[in-house]
Amino acid sequence: MKIGQIVFTLFASMMLLATLRGQDAAPPSVDLGSRQTDEPTTSPRPSASPNLPDVSQLDEYFKESSLGKAADDRKLHVEWRRLANQAASDPEVIEAKAVVEKAHTDIEKRQRLRTYYDVYYGRMRAMAATAEMKTALDSFKTEHLSHINQPRVRHETDGALPTPTPNRKEHKENKKK
C-alpha cells in the first residue's frame, strides 16, 4: 500500500505543479477579459479581375480540349459500350442475330452476318452524338466485316473487301528455345 500511496501522491503533486506553471506560461500583457465581440470581422475580398474568363467559358474550353490519347480512347470506349448495349436490346438487331444463328451453310452465315453488322452498326450510328464516334463506329464495322471475308477462297465475291492483317503469335515452345 505504501507504494500505491507514494505513486498517487507523486502524480497529484505533478498535476498541481503543471496547473500552476500553465498559468505562468501566459505573458502578463495578454488580457483575455477585454476582448470585444461586438465588432464584426470583415475579411478583405479579392477584387474581380477583368481578364478572368466566366465559368461557362471555362466549361466549354474543357469540353473541347483533349485530356490525352489514353483518356480520349477510354471516353470513346465508354461511349461505344453504351451504344452497343442500347443497340443490342433493339428488336430489329435481336431478330437479325437470330436469323444469323439459323443459317445452314458457312457462306449463308457470312452473308447474314454482313446484314446483321449493317443493322447493328446502323442503329449505333443513328444514336451516336459526335462525328468522332460515328467515325469510330465505321472503323469498328469495317473491322468486323473484314473478319468474315474469305478472299483466298471466294475471291470473286470477297476479293474487293478489306482483309484482316494476321497477328503473329509465337507458341510457347518457340519462346523456350
Side-chain angles (χ1 to χ4, degrees):
M1 285 271 198
K2 289 186 176 182
I3 295 178
Q5 290 176 348
I6 294 172
V7 170
F8 177 72
T9 307
L10 194 63
F11 180 71
S13 64
M14 287 174 45
M15 291 299 291
L16 182 62
L17 186 63
T19 56
L20 291 176
R21 289 194 176 197
Q23 290 177 357
D24 290 341
S29 63
V30 175
D31 185 18
L32 297 176
S34 66
R35 184 174 182 190
Q36 295 185 10
T37 58
D38 299 356
E39 297 177 16
T41 58
T42 58
S43 60
R45 293 186 179 208
S47 61
S49 179
N51 58 357
L52 290 177
D54 190 32
V55 175
S56 61
Q57 291 173 340
L58 289 173
D59 287 342
E60 289 300 318
Y61 174 74
F62 283 112
K63 284 180 185 177
E64 294 173 2
S65 67
S66 174
L67 299 175
K69 182 169 174 31
D72 290 343
D73 289 345
R74 184 68 184 154
K75 183 178 167 186
L76 191 69
H77 178 78
V78 168
E79 178 67 15
W80 171 76
R81 203 59 238 158
R82 185 186 65 79
L83 291 173
N85 289 338
Q86 286 180 350
S89 63
D90 187 81
E92 190 176 348
V93 174
I94 293 171
E95 182 183 338
K97 190 167 189 168
V99 169
V100 169
E101 298 299 323
K102 294 178 184 175
H104 296 290
T105 62
D106 182 53
I107 192 162
E108 185 180 5
K109 186 171 186 175
R110 288 173 186 277
Q111 289 170 345
R112 290 180 179 187
L113 273 173
R114 284 187 187 95
T115 305
Y116 165 73
Y117 285 133
D118 286 339
V119 171
Y120 180 65
Y121 281 103
R123 286 283 177 240
M124 286 197 297
R125 199 170 198 297
M127 292 184 284
T130 63
E132 180 184 14
M133 188 68 219
K134 290 179 181 184
T135 305
L137 288 171
D138 291 341
S139 68
F140 292 153
K141 178 182 175 184
T142 303
E143 182 181 342
H144 272 114
L145 289 174
S146 70
H147 289 289
I148 60 175
N149 295 334
Q150 291 183 326
R152 293 186 181 152
V153 178
R154 292 182 179 78
H155 53 82
E156 62 276 351
T157 58
D158 293 349
L161 299 172
T163 58
T165 55
N167 295 342
R168 296 190 151 240
K169 295 181 181 177
E170 294 184 30
H171 296 286
K172 291 181 181 178
E173 299 167 1
N174 292 342
K175 288 183 179 179
K176 290 180 182 176
K177 293 180 180 179

